Amino acid sequence: MLSDPDVVIIGAGAAGLAAGRVLMAAGAFTVVLEAKIRTGGRAFTDENSVGIAWDRGAHWLHNQRHNFFAGYAEREKIPLEPVSENRKIWTDRGWSDDELIQDYDAYCDLAFDRIAALGLEPVDHPVSDALPRHHFYRPMFESWYAALSGMEPNRSSAWDDWRYRDDTGNRRVRCGYGALLARYATDVPVEVSTPARIIDSSGPEIFVETDRGRIKASAVIITVSNAVLSSDAISFSPPLPNAFTSALECIPLGEAEKVAIAFKSDVFGLEDTHLIFLDPSPQVARFQIRPFGENIAVAYLAGCFARRMSEAGAAAMSDFALSRLVDVFGSGIRSAVTATQASDWCIDPDIGGGYSSARPGGADGRTVLAEPVNERLFFAGEAHAVDAYGTVHGAYNSGVETARRVLAHLRS
Ligand SMILES: Cc1cc2nc3c(=O)[nH]c(=O)nc-3n(C[C@H](O)[C@H](O)[C@H](O)COP(=O)(O)OP(=O)(O)OC[C@H]3O[C@@H](n4cnc5c(N)ncnc54)[C@H](O)[C@@H]3O)c2cc1C
């Protein structure tokens, strides 16, 4: 049986952990309920499955100068490292020359300029409306955009894109972003393996039903993903208002998955290189080859293709990723594989996808979702961070902001 706190937080990802720390620092008795056996949510460093640590979810510290976790890593004496600039493009005739890379970069610059201009239009449009035509570069850009936003450009809102801010670049940590978050979670009172099933705010107190009993609180912060909120995994009494559920439909979770393939030696002859394919097919992966010099390749799948592969299962994902590497490096690399593993975010009932992306016409839904319901149910998470959605630091910012609102509510 759990004791009754002032505040119950549901979900121990970046948002829930940040909210928990703010409330604890202010002296509010707080309990964080987490469905999984671990903390971190979509920031999880897998240290076991392939013998080399890799981030199944978040790996880059975006917008590093405005990212709490960049400062936290420095205070914890964990060195931040630059993201590798090495990049190679594979074509059906072998490695591309520099001219092709420059042409593709010019296409991307033009596309991003046009997307920004579209975001200033008085009516919201799909991002795809801004893209210049090109037989190869447009599909390549579309797959890159899906990896950035979790959804292909035709499913993404230009207004949402315009509101996102990242002016200071990316960093990474060798131990893994998930491991960094696991360290941050120390001292936060998290009850793992304790999913919230029912939230009853029909009376003067709020009750949260779990498999370990019922908890009473004055306020609840819900940080589960929008896919979980839309799935009815948690029952709300009274039901969530229509304005809130409509906003949820406007801000679905996109799709992102990864596959890790470990090798017994360096079969690539490349150092920490981003590998992309000149390929008009939407069924593409991008790879980070030998990140931090380790003998591992990590494939990144995004958009509808990522969900289809996730549903096909880990073996199908690994086969696909390895076959793409064989196309480039030859079938000899197969015998050097020591282990493979794939993420399963899209089919994970506690998550349900990659990161949130507004549908065209739906960007304003984020502000609706950030408002409390009946002044006592508060919501936080990456989907609520208007200028940093889809990121760990955005989830953190949202958790901190929401915890401050809850403190004001408790004192009122
Ligand atoms: C493949 C991939 C790559 C990514 N790459 C990056 C990156 O490089 N950089 C970056 O900044 N971001 C990246 N992201 C996004 C980032 O991981 C998320 O935006 C962020 O971690 C979300 O944090 P959150 O707290 O909002 O939600 P979550 O991390 O989803 O936390 C919510 C928690 O709620 C729990 N939960 C669900 N249901 C219940 C319930 N009923 N009761 C109790 N608990 C429940 C879940 O288990 C979860 O732990 C990536 C994500 C993916 C999937």
Side-chain angles (χ1 to χ4, degrees):
M1 193 66 185
L2 301 161
S3 344
D4 292 335
D6 298 320
V7 185
V8 174
I9 298 173
I10 298 173
L17 294 170
R21 282 220 174 193
V22 170
L23 290 164
M24 281 164 56
F29 178 22
T30 305
V31 168
V32 185
L33 304 180
E34 169 53 50
K36 291 195 179 302
I37 199 165
R38 59 165 182 83
T39 60
R42 282 169 270 171
F44 170 48
T45 304
D46 176 346
E47 286 165 354
N48 300 313
S49 65
V50 299
I52 297 167
W54 64 290
D55 277 312
R56 285 192 184 219
H59 52 288
W60 281 0
L61 286 79
H62 296 301
N63 210 6
Q64 45 131 350
R65 282 204 208 115
H66 305 286
N67 183 323
F68 166 82
F69 289 103
Y72 175 76
E74 276 175 357
R75 287 193 296 282
E76 293 290 306
K77 310 232 174 320
I78 297 171
L80 291 169
E81 299 190 25
V83 169
S84 169
E85 298 284 325
N86 301 339
R87 193 170 42 138
K88 298 276 255 178
I89 298 180
W90 180 257
T91 76
D92 56 0
R93 277 176 273 133
W95 293 117
S96 71
D97 55 20
D98 289 347
E99 199 180 331
L100 188 146
I101 294 182
Q102 281 161 15
D103 279 358
Y104 175 58
D105 285 347
Y107 178 94
C108 292
D109 288 346
L110 179 61
F112 280 124
D113 285 350
R114 289 195 182 176
I115 294 168
L118 194 65
L120 288 167
E121 290 287 320
V123 175
D124 193 13
H125 288 266
V127 163
S128 51
D129 284 4
L131 299 187
R133 292 187 189 285
H134 193 283
H135 181 52
F136 282 116
Y137 298 156
R138 180 165 170 156
M140 275 171 81
F141 180 86
E142 285 174 342
S143 95
W144 172 228
Y145 191 89
L148 294 176
S149 105
M151 284 199 189
E152 294 81 355
N154 62 340
R155 299 162 67 208
S156 303
S157 147
W159 280 6
D160 206 37
D161 184 285
W162 191 84
R163 289 170 187 169
Y164 182 84
R165 287 281 164 267
D166 183 350
D167 310 321
T168 67
N170 303 313
R171 286 289 182 274
R172 57 184 180 167
V173 281
R174 193 173 280 261
C175 65
Y177 209 165
L180 188 65
L181 233 76
R183 187 185 288 221
Y184 177 72
T186 321
D187 302 335
V188 181
V190 180
E191 299 290 337
V192 294
S193 306
T194 310
R197 306 282 187 198
I198 301 171
I199 299 175
D200 181 351
S201 59
S202 54
E205 306 282 0
I206 307 176
F207 292 95
V208 179
E209 293 277 357
T210 76
D211 300 345
R212 294 167 60 196
R214 201 159 81 132
I215 317 172
K216 188 173 72 171
S218 304
V220 174
I221 302 179
I222 298 141
T223 72
V224 302
S225 73
N226 281 5
V228 172
L229 279 175
S230 303
S231 75
D232 296 334
I234 304 174
S235 301
F236 288 86
S237 173
L240 292 170
N242 287 343
F244 191 93
T245 51
S246 304
L248 275 180
E249 283 171 24
C250 293
I251 316 282
L253 229 57
E255 303 89 7
E257 297 288 3
K258 290 186 186 174
V259 184
I261 306 179
F263 295 85
K264 62 183 172 213
S265 56
D266 174 11
V267 293
F268 303 111
L270 295 174
E271 186 73 12
D272 213 340
T273 299
H274 194 58
L275 165 64
I276 52 183
F277 292 83
L278 183 69
D279 186 343
S281 146
Q283 307 194 345
V284 289
R286 326 172 70 80
F287 288 84
Q288 195 64 30
I289 303 288
R290 302 189 68 239
F292 299 108
E294 299 282 3
N295 289 325
I296 186 173
V298 180
Y300 203 103
L301 281 57
C304 295
F305 178 56
R307 186 170 295 275
R308 278 206 306 282
M309 290 305 291
S310 189
E311 286 165 357
M317 287 168 80
S318 300
D319 284 352
F320 167 78
L322 186 56
S323 71
R324 294 297 349 227
L325 290 177
V326 164
D327 291 344
V328 180
F329 299 100
S331 57
I333 66 168
R334 286 188 188 276
S335 59
V337 173
T338 54
T340 66
Q341 184 56 272
S343 65
D344 58 359
W345 301 110
C346 295
I347 57 166
D348 180 338
D350 300 325
I351 305 291
Y355 21 90
S356 67
S357 181
R359 291 187 202 286
D364 292 341
R366 292 194 192 277
T367 27
V368 177
L369 295 178
E371 285 306 310
V373 168
N374 297 334
E375 294 175 7
R376 286 178 309 157
L377 293 186
F378 294 81
F379 293 83
E382 57 87 7
H384 307 255
V386 171
D387 61 355
Y389 54 82
T391 68
V392 174
H393 69 283
Y396 170 91
N397 294 348
S398 161
V400 168
E401 211 171 293
T402 306
R404 288 179 186 153
R405 292 173 89 169
V406 168
L407 284 171
H409 164 73
L410 293 177
R411 286 168 187 154
S412 64

